[in-house]
Every structure is written in C-alpha cells, then in structure tokens.
Amino acid sequence: MKPLSVLAAFISALIPFSSAQSSSSGSPCSAPSSKGFRMKHGFETVLVQPFGCDGFRVRAWPFKPPAGNEISFLYDPPLEGFENGKAHGMSFDTTSTGNTSVELRNGKILMRTIGGTYQYNTSLAFYRVEDDGSESLLLNEYSPTKSKNPRYYEWNGPGSEFYAEFAWTSDPTEQIYGTGQQQDHMVNKKGQTIDLLNFNSYIPTPMFMSNRGYGFVWNSAAEGRMEFGPFRTRITSDASSVVDYVILTADKGDYDGLQQKLSAVTGRAPTPPDWSLGYLHSKLRYENQTEILLLANNFKKYQIPVSLIVIDYQSWAHQGDWGLDPGLWPNVSYMAEQVKKITGAEMMASLWPSVEDASENYLYMQANGLLSATRSGPGTTDSWNGSYIRNYDATNPEAREFLWNTLKRNYFDKGIKNFWIDQADGGALGEAWENNGQDSYIESLPYALPDVLYHTGTQKSTGKLYPWAHQQAIEEGQRNATDTKPGSACEYLSLSRSGYIGSQRFCSMIWSGDTTAVWNTLALQVSAGLSMAATGMGWWTLDAGGFQSDPTVSWSNNIDEPQYRELYVRWQQWSTFLPFMRNHGSRACNHLHAFTCDNEPWTYGAQNTPIIKSYIEMRYALHDYVKAVFAQFSKSGRMIMRPLYMDFETTDSKISNMVRTNTNATTQQYMFGPRLLVTPVTLPGKKEWDVYLPQTKNGNGTKPWTYWWTNQTYAGGQTVTVPAPLEHIPLFHLGSRGDVVSGNVF
Ligand SMILES: *[C@@H]1O[C@H](CO)[C@@H](O)[C@H](O)[C@H]1NC(C)=O
Ligand SMILES: *[C@@H]1O[C@H](CO)[C@@H](O)[C@H](O)[C@H]1NC(C)=O
Ligand SMILES: *[C@@H]1O[C@H](CO)[C@@H](O)[C@H](O)[C@H]1NC(C)=O
Ligand SMILES: *[C@@H]1O[C@H](CO)[C@@H](O)[C@H](O)[C@H]1NC(C)=O
Ligand SMILES: *[C@@H]1O[C@H](CO)[C@@H](O)[C@H](O)[C@H]1NC(C)=O
Ligand SMILES: *[C@@H]1O[C@H](CO)[C@@H](O)[C@H](O)[C@H]1NC(C)=O
Ligand SMILES: *[C@@H]1O[C@H](CO)[C@@H](O)[C@H](O)[C@H]1NC(C)=O
Ligand SMILES: *[C@@H]1O[C@H](CO)[C@@H](O)[C@H](O)[C@H]1NC(C)=O
Ligand SMILES: *[C@@H]1O[C@H](CO)[C@@H](O)[C@H](O)[C@H]1NC(C)=O
C-alpha cells in the first residue's frame, strides 16, 4: 500500500494548521487504507481506527460494548490529519474474528495482526513504514505463551466496570519521555513505575514519546499504573468500561513531528497574554488590602517591574465562599485599580475546591448536588484546620458554572481576573495525609485514598479528570466573560497545581507544586519540567526559591540565612528561563517565628537585590523571544523547554547514551526555545560549572555556542567549564544575540 501522496497534498491544503508542519515533520498526512477495523473474537472486541496524522486509535472492551460517549481527552476528529473535519465515532469498514491476518495503514504507520488458523494470534503490532518501504517495529503486544494475555481484564467490583492491564514488548535500550510530572531526576523514564494517582507535586499522565519514534496516549480518566520494565511496558486502569489509546509515529529523531501530531489529537495551546510573560509575584501570604497596596508601592519604589500580584489562601471568611473576606479586603475594585495604576500589574487570587459547612455556598451546593461525596457514606473528603469540608464537583458542568458565577461576582467583575486553582489534584485535597496540621501526620499512603464519588463516576474510574475539569471551569468562565473562543489568544489565566492529557488547550499554567527549599529539590525540578514539556504541558512554572522549609535543614527557606539566600538567587535566576517566571513561597525569617515572612525581590540581602533585579529585567528584555517561542508552541506544539534529545539526538552521537542513563547533562540542561541553552547551578558555593555543549547540525569545525556573559565561542560535542559566579547562570546562545533578543528565531 503506497501513500496516496497527490491526494494527500490536495487534502492537506484544506486542513487548517497544515502549514505549521513545514518546519518539523516530513510529509503531509496521507489517506488511510480503511475507515477502521473491528476484531470480534470470543468475549472481546477490538476497534482500530486510523487517527490523525500517521496514527491509530485503538479501543478494546470485554462483553458490554461502550456507549461511545465515554470521557475522552482526544479531539475527534483531530486538528490535523486526513479526517477533514469528520469525526470517527465508532466507525469501521473491515472486520475479522481474529483468525485472519489484517493490515491497516495510515500514512507512515502500519498495524498488523497475525491471525492463524489453529491458535488465533490476535496481538496487534505497529510499525513505521520507512521511505525505502522497510518496516521498523514500534510496539507490539507482549504475548509470550503461558502468560497473561496482553489485553487482560478483571472484574473486582460489584458493577460492570473492569480492571484492565495492557502490555507491550520493549527492550532495555528503549527510552521513554514524558509521563507528566514526577520528582525522580529522570528524563528517560525507562525502568520507572508510576502510579496514576495525583498528589501535590506529582502529575502522572499516561502520555509519552519513545526514541523508537512513536507517541502514545492512554486515553483514560481512571487511576492505575504505568510500568516501564526492561522487556515489558504495561499500563493498568483500575476501573473502566473501555480501554482506549492512541499510537502515532514520526521519523526516528523527529520529536517535533511527534509533538505536532500528539498535540493535534490531545490539545494545542492558545497564546498567553503579553503581560504574563513578565515577572509573576506571589508569597504565602499577603493578608489584607493594606499590605497589597504597600507591596505595589514598594515595587515602584525599588523600580522593579511586575506583571502579576497574587493573593494566597485564607483570604476568605470560609472555605468555599469563593470571595475575599470583606473585613480584610474592604474595597476590592479600588485595590485592583490602584495596583494597576501603580505597577501596571494584573491580579490573581487563590481558590480552593473545598467547601466547609459554614460557607455561605454550602447548603445550596449540597441541595443541588454540586459537591462530591464518598462511596463509604458521609461527605467528608478531607479536613483542614478542624473544619469539615467537601470538594466542589468539578466534573459536573452545573458545579463549574456555579463556581464561575461566584468568582465572577466576587473577583472578576471587581478587577481580579486571574485565578489560582490550588489543591486542584482531586480525590481529597491532593495530599497523602489529612490536612489537619497534626504534628505526626502521615506523609505517604498506607491505604487507599477516599473513593470519592463524582458526577462522572468514582475516583478510581474518573478521578484523573478532576484537575482537568477544574481548569476547564476557569477556562469556560473566562471565555464566557471575555466573549472569546477556545483556542484563541488568552486575555487572562489560571494557575493550577495539576492537569491532565491535553489540558494545555486551556489558558492555564501548571506549577510544580509545594517543593522544599533545598538544593536537591531545585535539581529535581529541571527533569520535572522537561517531562511535563514532553507530555505536551508546556505552560509550566514553579515556586522560585522553593515553597516550604525542609524541617531537617536549619536554614531552609529562611531569608535571613546566607545559605538560603544563595539557593534563592540560583533558583530565581533559573526561573527567568522557564515558560513563566514566577516567585512564590512560605518563607521563614529570624525576627518572626513564622512562615509568612517577606518574599519580595529586595528581601534577600542588599548584595543580592541587584542580581535578582537584573534577572527580572532580563526577562522583560527577552519578551520578544519568549513570545515567539510561545507562538510556535501554539501553532505546532513545538516544545518550549527542550530536553537535549529533542534537538541533538540526530546530530550528536553521544546524546542518546547520555539520555539513556539520565546523566546530569541531560536531566539538568535544556534548550529554552531554539537558541538558549540553560544550565541552572544546582549546588552551593560554586564559582564555575560544567556544561555539555551538544554537537549541532553543520556544527563540525565551527564554534556555534556563545557564552552569554563573556561572548566566548565554543565548539559542540564537548563538556566545558565556564565561570559561574552567583550573578551568572550558565547560559549559551546559538546564532546572534540580536536575533535572540528580537525574537527573530524561527
Ligand atoms: C475465520 O472465521 C470465520 C468465522 O468463524 C470463518 O467464516 C472464516 O472462514 C475463517 N477464516 C479463516 C481464514 O479461517
Ligand atoms: C503473536 O504475533 C506477534 C507478532 O505480531 C508475535 O510477536 C508473537 O510472538 C505472537 N504470539 C504468539 C503466542 O504466537
Ligand atoms: C494588615 O496586615 C498586617 C500584617 O499582618 C497588619 O499589621 C495590619 O494591621 C493589617 N491591617 C489591616 C487594616 O487589617
Ligand atoms: C471603593 O473606593 C472607591 C474609590 O475610592 C470609592 O469610590 C468607592 O465608593 C469605594 N467602595 C466601597 C464599597 O467602599
Ligand atoms: C485555623 O483557623 C483559625 C480560626 O478559624 C485561625 O486563627 C488559624 O490561623 C488557622 N490555622 C491554620 C493553620 O490555618
Ligand atoms: C459558559 O457559557 C456556556 C454557554 O452559555 C454555558 O453552557 C457554560 O456553563 C458557561 N460556563 C461557565 C463556567 O460559566
Ligand atoms: C563531525 O566530524 C567527525 C570527525 O570528522 C565525524 O565523525 C562526525 O560524524 C561529524 N559530525 C557531524 C554531525 O557532522
Ligand atoms: C548531578 O547533580 C546532582 C545534584 O546537583 C549532584 O549531587 C551530583 O553530584 C551530580 N552528579 C554528577 C555526576 O555530576
Ligand atoms: C557580548 O556581545 C553583546 C552583543 O552581541 C554585547 O552587548 C555585550 O556587551 C558583549 N559582552 C561582552 C562581555 O563583551
């Protein structure tokens, strides 16, 4: 079967966004060989459909057929592909009982089952068809004899939902990139086992790229597990009514091509508002209107630019009021107006999903079924500071609308138009322990999380939807209020602690959660961000300086201690080269025995203020570059933070091996956009730092890398030691600095 290239070229001309493919992936999408293939054998049915560009969508179920309207994170039809605006639904035109060999082709990807007359082999195998016609194996189902079937089901509950385990063959050299956010120092996830359970600072997401040249999406809202063993990749789902996944391919090494195709099926980011590319300031916590106005005046006094000022939690009278306590915030519109006038900044306020029974909204929400409950009976999902709480049910459209209407009345209409959806992880409040602040709390889970009940189902079957739906609530509300369409440029934003497959389609940043203020945690955030990028969630940020003290480190988070000041400066300078530059934390200090000490740029010692200020100014100086990088991400899914394999796997023969073993160069260095190589200093007391400079395309015999601070140039393919005094983050650029600063880089 040859790709129908002439027809494909004609069709692709009709498809929006197709021009965006030129820079990254090779050929345009080709016509598939069939509408779909249904294999029905025994109790099981498997449906395989061509999907998007060079991809397939597979659905499988035992016994009871799915209704076809199950929760899905996929666009049907995808944004790009051969579909030309037509949804696939459950359509197919080829059938088999599994006893015949069947082949399906969609552009570069081929699916084949073996069949056979004696013992049917119903395994699915996927190949990439190379330009010379040869086939490269991408993934085939793991089916040695005397083992569980690669598509395995169990019924553990009283209903018809099943537990599923799907397995594929792998080998120790396969490399896996993505899977959301963990705190594990791994860019290559091979060997890792990841629970599909959301916690503060963990955003496990079953979507990844392989160095074999495929992208994979496990399209399920269920909790479960991902296992990347040496010879077997296995994904499980705790409770489902259908198994649903997408596999798609691009030429080996073409990760931009994979991201383009993945984002075309899961979510393409809009463009962020210009203001959000500046410095975003926050701390735990400004307690009242007077403090915020003082803060704005101080930014002016120190002549430090700021683009967002944030009000953290406990600014409400009761949880679930979704409004500021009027005793502390007497005139919100006046405050927002003054902040704008003094600094030009927007404002953002925190909200928690929890509603306590003393809240003015509790009874209405309870009576109207807008709160989640638990399978075991009472409504408690968690507790906080002694109060009984239940989370609003983000999966219920009526609850989302109620939440938004409340936020609009109390904040948006008064000038606070951006929302920080904290504790958004779902289940309880996203912690492994109860939030009561007991001294001896439980730090990890010895038993199951509360099995919460939602509009869409149980925590086990649909819990992974919760943060996504919570982001959706703010997105829909802001879209409604600004009369703009999904996908169009964002005027305002949310900031979320979690997300899920494709949530980059919303005007929503994700930050890495409540991190500890120690060096190792700083280092861990680099690989966390790179994995989020490879999962498609490019709008990533963190708490510069770390969020909370590590109780075992005396100086941790203490703004008066020199050790912490050094860590803060290193972390803050790194944040200049993240998609969003954001400062937040629950700081300690010596004069107050408290955790709400100062966190402003001028509070880390007189000698550090100019350094901190210089990076904030640098961020504004790089505005055009950052904007261009975001625009490209929006257009084609081209990643903003770029692990070294993205750009150099094919030009530098050392990279693949370095990534395989997760060497520091590949877990702590990355390209920020196409031109800047960023290497944060992650150890104290350093005056110089080693950086691996990759071999670039056509780089042999030239010195393509320029050190930002000295203008010295270097050849690629070597590790260099550069001066890195506290005021200088190791930063290299490709091409001219003028092009970087003007954003003339694509
Ligand atoms: C496959 O099974 C179907 C239905 O049982 C039967 O009609 C068909 O002849 C079989 N084909 C082969 C090649 O065995
Ligand atoms: C089934 O076919 C696949 C190739 O698609 C092969 O790798 C596997 O070994 C076969 N399984 C059995 C049990 O024959
Ligand atoms: C605002 O908070 C500050 C710091 O806690 C406090 O000193 C001040 O009295 C408060 N002002 C008002 C008006 O509540
Ligand atoms: C808020 O402040 C503005 C400007 O000073 C004033 O006009 C308005 O009446 C105030 N509103 C309230 C509710 O105090
Ligand atoms: C708990 O609530 C009380 C009053 O409701 C408040 O004074 C206190 O600061 C709160 N403590 C925490 C840890 O939130
Ligand atoms: C946005 O508007 C649509 C159409 O009126 C409505 O269905 C939806 O509930 C609104 N969303 C929110 C969060 O208010
Ligand atoms: C660079 O030159 C070396 C030695 O001549 C050669 O082995 C290597 O393949 C070249 N690399 C590239 C990317 O051209
Ligand atoms: C990698 O980085 C970590 C944290 O910065 C450091 O502890 C470790 O020594 C480094 N390892 C190597 C091989 O440089
Ligand atoms: C490096 O070059 C840039 C222009 O590209 C210039 O602005 C800067 O001052 C130079 N830095 C040094 C240390 O020479």
Side-chain angles (χ1 to χ4, degrees):
M1 278 165 282
K2 287 255 178 283
L4 305 173
S5 48
V6 176
L7 182 57
F10 168 69
I11 298 280
S12 77
L14 303 175
I15 300 170
F17 302 108
S18 64
S19 60
Q21 290 172 7
S22 53
S23 62
S24 48
S25 65
S27 58
C29 316
S30 305
S33 63
S34 111
K35 267 172 79 172
F37 160 55
R38 191 200 64 189
M39 176 169 63
K40 202 167 182 344
H41 67 105
F43 65 86
E44 191 200 30
T45 306
V46 179
L47 175 66
V48 185
Q49 296 170 317
F51 202 69
C53 230
D54 305 323
F56 288 115
R57 179 179 188 181
V58 179
R59 273 170 284 184
W61 60 90
F63 300 106
K64 185 176 173 232
N69 61 355
E70 285 69 26
I71 294 170
S72 171
F73 302 92
L74 304 176
Y75 292 131
D76 182 16
L79 297 177
E80 293 156 11
F82 198 78
E83 289 82 358
N84 208 11
K86 283 220 203 69
H88 293 266
M90 303 290 282
S91 62
F92 57 89
D93 57 14
T94 311
T95 60
S96 166
T97 57
N99 60 353
T100 51
S101 174
V102 172
E103 275 189 15
L104 226 60
R105 172 94 184 256
N106 184 22
K108 288 175 190 289
I109 198 166
L110 175 74
M111 188 278 314
R112 183 183 291 128
T113 62
I114 300 289
T117 48
Y118 168 59
Q119 198 177 16
Y120 296 177
N121 183 340
T122 68
S123 289
L124 309 182
F126 300 93
Y127 304 84
R128 181 181 51 240
V129 183
E130 309 293 359
D131 290 343
D132 65 5
S134 63
E135 294 172 5
S136 307
L137 179 68
L138 299 172
L139 205 58
N140 60 333
E141 290 181 327
Y142 181 85
S143 54
T145 54
K146 318 289 186 208
S147 72
K148 282 177 169 174
N149 199 69
R151 303 186 300 269
Y152 175 82
Y153 310 93
E154 268 179 23
W155 288 261
N156 298 324
S160 63
E161 282 186 335
F162 51 82
Y163 162 84
E165 253 180 41
F166 274 43
W168 298 269
T169 58
S170 183
D171 68 73
T173 66
E174 187 178 10
Q175 299 175 22
I176 303 291
Y177 311 133
T179 74
Q181 181 180 286
Q182 283 81 46
Q183 302 287 331
D184 62 6
H185 208 72
M186 294 168 91
V187 160
N188 170 23
K189 299 292 176 175
K190 186 64 170 183
Q192 185 58 299
T193 298
I194 298 166
D195 293 321
L196 287 168
L197 284 181
N198 295 346
F199 289 114
N200 187 351
S201 79
Y202 287 78
I203 313 174
T205 305
M207 176 162 160
F208 53 88
M209 303 191 287
S210 159
N211 68 335
R212 289 180 178 174
Y214 67 87
F216 189 94
V217 186
W218 178 259
N219 181 31
S220 169
E223 294 182 339
R225 200 166 60 247
M226 295 180 270
E227 302 167 352
F228 299 103
F231 297 103
R232 170 160 62 175
T233 296
R234 178 156 65 180
I235 307 187
T236 73
S237 166
D238 286 349
S240 289
S241 51
V242 63
V243 170
D244 186 353
Y245 68 87
V246 167
I247 177 170
L248 48 78
T249 192
D251 291 343
K252 195 163 158 50
D254 181 12
Y255 296 104
D256 284 325
L258 285 180
Q259 284 297 322
Q260 172 159 5
K261 292 168 195 179
L262 284 167
S263 58
V265 305
T266 61
R268 225 10 98 67
T271 51
D274 278 356
W275 61 261
S276 69
L277 307 183
Y279 171 67
L280 314 182
H281 180 79
S282 178
K283 81 160 186 174
L284 187 166
R285 65 194 177 94
Y286 298 108
E287 295 182 14
N288 56 47
Q289 182 172 321
T290 315
E291 278 195 18
I292 290 283
L293 293 176
L294 182 64
L295 175 72
N297 280 312
N298 274 330
F299 271 104
K300 189 176 172 191
K301 180 174 127 197
Y302 286 97
Q303 294 182 297
I304 295 180
V306 59
S307 293
L308 182 73
I309 284 179
V310 182
I311 300 175
D312 199 351
Y313 77 153
Q314 294 194 2
S315 46
W316 42 74
H318 300 105
Q319 289 182 69
D321 286 352
W322 300 313
L324 292 169
D325 182 347
L328 299 168
W329 314 89
N331 197 333
V332 178
S333 347
Y334 172 76
M335 172 178 67
E337 207 181 280
Q338 286 298 304
V339 163
K340 191 90 184 215
K341 206 163 119 190
I342 299 165
T343 65
E346 287 285 325
M347 290 196 71
M348 172 181 273
S350 161
L351 61 120
W352 281 30
S354 42
V355 186
E356 64 184 291
D357 48 10
S359 167
E360 60 194 24
N361 295 320
Y362 185 86
L363 277 181
Y364 178 88
M365 295 190 78
Q366 160 69 345
N368 287 276
L370 308 184
L371 297 171
S372 56
T374 62
R375 197 200 279 259
S376 54
T380 312
T381 60
D382 205 339
S383 61
W384 171 260
N385 195 15
S387 58
Y388 167 87
I389 59 171
R390 293 172 64 183
N391 286 349
Y392 104 103
D393 184 354
T395 75
N396 182 344
E398 207 184 320
R400 292 199 293 269
E401 198 172 323
F402 179 85
L403 171 72
W404 175 255
N405 289 340
T406 312
L407 294 174
K408 182 163 187 297
R409 189 171 65 243
N410 292 332
Y411 298 93
F412 192 91
D413 291 345
K414 296 178 177 171
I416 299 179
K417 304 196 172 198
N418 303 282
F419 296 97
W420 176 9
I421 49 179
D422 201 355
Q423 311 287 130
D425 325 68
L429 277 176
E431 311 290 350
W433 61 87
E434 289 215 331
N435 267 307
N436 260 332
Q438 299 95 332
D439 283 340
S440 54
Y441 49 66
I442 299 166
E443 291 248 24
S444 56
L445 266 188
Y447 40 68
L449 278 174
D451 200 359
V452 181
L453 300 176
Y454 302 112
H455 182 72
T456 49
T458 61
Q459 175 69 23
K460 281 192 191 306
S461 68
T462 68
K464 295 288 289 171
L465 170 66
Y466 190 91
W468 195 101
H470 198 8
Q471 289 175 289
Q472 184 187 12
I474 308 300
E475 164 82 9
E476 284 176 353
Q478 287 172 333
R479 292 291 182 197
N480 285 357
T482 56
D483 200 16
T484 56
K485 292 209 159 46
S488 66
C490 309
E491 290 179 36
Y492 305 108
L493 300 177
S494 69
L495 169 69
S496 177
R497 199 167 74 183
S498 194
Y500 199 49
I501 300 166
S503 67
Q504 64 272 9
R505 74 184 68 167
F506 303 134
C507 296
S508 187
M509 314 175 262
I510 294 177
W511 96 100
S512 75
D514 294 350
T515 49
T516 48
V518 291
W519 290 96
N520 186 45
T521 304
L522 161 58
L524 283 168
Q525 300 322 295
V526 191
S527 48
L530 295 178
S531 295
M532 284 291 273
T535 315
M537 293 189 259
W539 284 27
W540 186 82
T541 184
L542 47 63
D543 291 353
F547 172 69
Q548 66 200 20
S549 300
D550 178 333
T552 66
V553 178
S554 63
W555 51 262
S556 172
N557 229 358
N558 188 321
I559 62 169
D560 295 325
E561 297 294 333
Q563 294 101 315
Y564 180 64
R565 288 178 171 183
E566 182 189 357
L567 172 64
Y568 182 82
V569 171
R570 288 302 193 186
W571 207 322
Q572 190 264 353
Q573 65 187 202
W574 173 39
S575 72
T576 313
F577 308 97
L578 294 178
F580 295 95
M581 183 185 199
R582 183 176 157 276
N583 180 56
H584 181 66
S586 165
R587 306 282 175 244
C589 50
N590 289 339
H591 63 282
L592 259 181
H593 195 70
F595 297 97
T596 64
C597 297
D598 294 342
N599 185 30
E600 295 75 31
W602 49 84
T603 55
Y604 295 90
Q607 74 282 24
N608 293 322
T609 304
I611 305 176
I612 294 167
K613 186 177 176 190
S614 73
Y615 281 93
I616 293 174
E617 284 166 348
M618 187 170 181
R619 176 72 185 194
Y620 286 89
L622 287 172
H623 178 272
D624 291 348
Y625 178 75
V626 177
K627 184 173 170 148
V629 169
F630 268 99
Q632 199 65 30
F633 180 58
S634 175
K635 199 163 134 196
S636 64
R638 194 179 195 284
M639 282 158 57
I640 300 171
M641 289 177 77
R642 305 173 63 80
L644 297 190
Y645 62 79
M646 291 288 304
D647 294 300
F648 307 109
E649 188 185 282
T650 54
T651 61
D652 187 332
S653 57
K654 290 192 218 121
I655 290 287
S656 183
N657 214 27
M658 288 164 66
V659 179
R660 185 174 61 76
T661 54
N662 285 309
T663 59
N664 276 12
T666 59
T667 59
Q668 297 197 21
Q669 294 186 204
Y670 64 97
M671 295 295 290
F672 179 56
R675 297 292 179 84
L676 296 177
L677 176 69
V678 180
T679 312
V681 171
T682 54
L683 293 171
K686 294 292 172 184
K687 302 254 175 321
E688 44 186 38
W689 197 249
D690 290 348
V691 178
Y692 181 74
L693 300 174
Q695 181 70 259
T696 59
K697 199 171 158 196
N698 309 321
N700 259 2
T702 68
K703 293 181 167 182
W705 297 101
T706 306
Y707 194 50
W708 187 274
W709 309 109
T710 59
N711 290 337
Q712 187 169 340
T713 57
Y714 297 85
Q718 57 169 338
T719 299
V720 298
T721 304
V722 290
L726 188 60
E727 63 271 25
H728 289 163
I729 183 174
L731 176 67
F732 287 82
H733 63 95
L734 287 170
S736 87
R737 187 187 295 208
D739 282 347
V740 172
V741 172
S742 64
N744 179 27
V745 292
F746 290 106

